[in-house]
Amino acid sequence: MHYDLSGAKHIIAALDADQDIKALMLKAFMRRVELFGIDISFFNEPFTPISITGTGCSLKCRHCDSHYLRHMLDGSGGRLYSQVSFLEDRGAKGILLSGGSAEDGSVPTYALADDIKNIKQDKKLKISAHTGLVNEVQAQKLSDYLDMALVDIIGDDETIHDILGLDAHARDYERSLEYLSSSGIPLAPHIIVGLHNGRLKGEFRALRIVERFKPDVVVIVVFIPTKGTVLEGIRPPDIQDVARVITEARQMFDCPLSLSCVRPGGRYRSELDMYAILCGIDRIAVPSRKAYTISRELGLNITEVPQMCCSYGASI
């Protein structure tokens, strides 16, 4: 199809950004038009996360420290089935299983494999899960019920040790993708931009790790300085740094590239959404008003995807 790039060129040229960033953005935007035409998907109703561990977590990550678990539905202590039923009664099409990490870095949904298989049979809902690091046995158990594995991929050993407090290495994340992929589970790797104190450190290596595995979708997460954590006073990553990661991802992957709902809010989010679209993102979770505005200015065709997680690829 023919698409007039003059609007994108004009908007990018007017940005207060480095010239090399602008060149990368235009190239990436052209790539997304080549892959997806003028379509962009907005996911305003992500799956509701259910924590299988309640607020419990064996790690004390400097960026989270269990904060986000307190905002999930509590599926611990035998409450998982009732929480899923609660969501189903409200029209949910799927659920996101999550929770705190075990000491090995896994999110132990595999420990409830029989219960989750029963839920899958009874409810006919799509089931996604944050997996964390997994071994071969754990991945095989997950394959019995998972429709999509959401895996944070960390590409820097120092970040893994200092920020997550985990005795693991980037190679362990690569092995986790190997096990999940070999088990036949669709993959939605998540790249966390700025996790190392708001700076880039390992993101490009993480992209190279993911490149081996033909993911269904690649999700860009942006570090949020969270109140009550060690990193609450750290600035979020420079938006031009986020742009560098997104443009690189757009050139590397032919699959959908999604901007996660996990990203800072306010004016930062508005500016980030604009940059992300110009960098080649073709789907956004919980888009800002600016995302709508810039998409219309670019002549993109917005599709609203109801009650679905942005991590789903061809499955939507």
Side-chain angles (χ1 to χ4, degrees), residues 193-194 198-200 222-224 235-242 264 268:
V193 183
R199 297 183 286 109
L200 296 185
V222 181
F223 161 69
I224 302 173
R235 293 173 62 88
D238 189 291
I239 286 178
Q240 292 193 50
D241 283 342
V242 183
Y268 183 99

Side-chain angles (χ1 to χ4, degrees), residues 116-236:
I116 298 169
K117 280 189 283 187
N118 289 336
I119 289 170
K120 182 73 174 175
Q121 224 172 15
D122 293 350
K123 303 299 185 182
K124 310 302 181 186
L125 298 171
K126 290 192 177 295
I127 299 181
S128 300
H130 290 136
T131 67
L133 293 174
V134 294
N135 61 35
E136 191 170 8
V137 173
Q138 292 163 350
Q140 195 59 52
K141 287 185 178 181
L142 294 175
S143 70
D144 289 338
Y145 55 80
L146 266 198
D147 294 301
M148 187 68 70
L150 281 56
V151 196
D152 293 343
I153 302 300
I154 314 298
D156 178 72
D157 289 353
E158 188 177 353
T159 302
I160 296 166
H161 301 155
D162 294 354
I163 304 299
L164 304 186
L166 188 60
D167 184 19
H169 303 274
R171 175 61 181 142
D172 294 308
Y173 287 87
E174 187 169 6
R175 288 194 185 98
S176 294
L177 286 179
E178 288 175 354
Y179 297 139
L180 292 166
S181 179
S182 296
S183 297
I185 305 172
L187 300 176
H190 287 42
I191 308 297
I192 308 175
V193 183
L195 181 59
H196 198 101
N197 301 318
R199 297 183 286 109
L200 296 185
K201 200 175 194 317
E203 287 84 346
F204 296 104
R205 183 182 178 189
L207 288 173
R208 292 194 298 273
I209 289 172
V210 169
E211 191 177 19
R212 289 186 50 208
F213 296 98
K214 296 183 179 179
D216 282 53
V217 56
V218 174
V219 181
I220 303 296
V221 179
V222 181
F223 161 69
I224 302 173
T226 301
K227 188 175 181 180
T229 68
V230 175
L231 300 185
E232 68 173 304
I234 298 296
R235 293 173 62 88

Side-chain angles (χ1 to χ4, degrees), residues 55-71:
T55 57
C57 181
S58 295
L59 303 181
K60 293 292 182 182
C61 300
R62 293 167 63 86
H63 69 295
C64 174
D65 197 13
S66 302
H67 170 89
Y68 293 98
L69 297 178
R70 296 193 288 273
H71 298 276

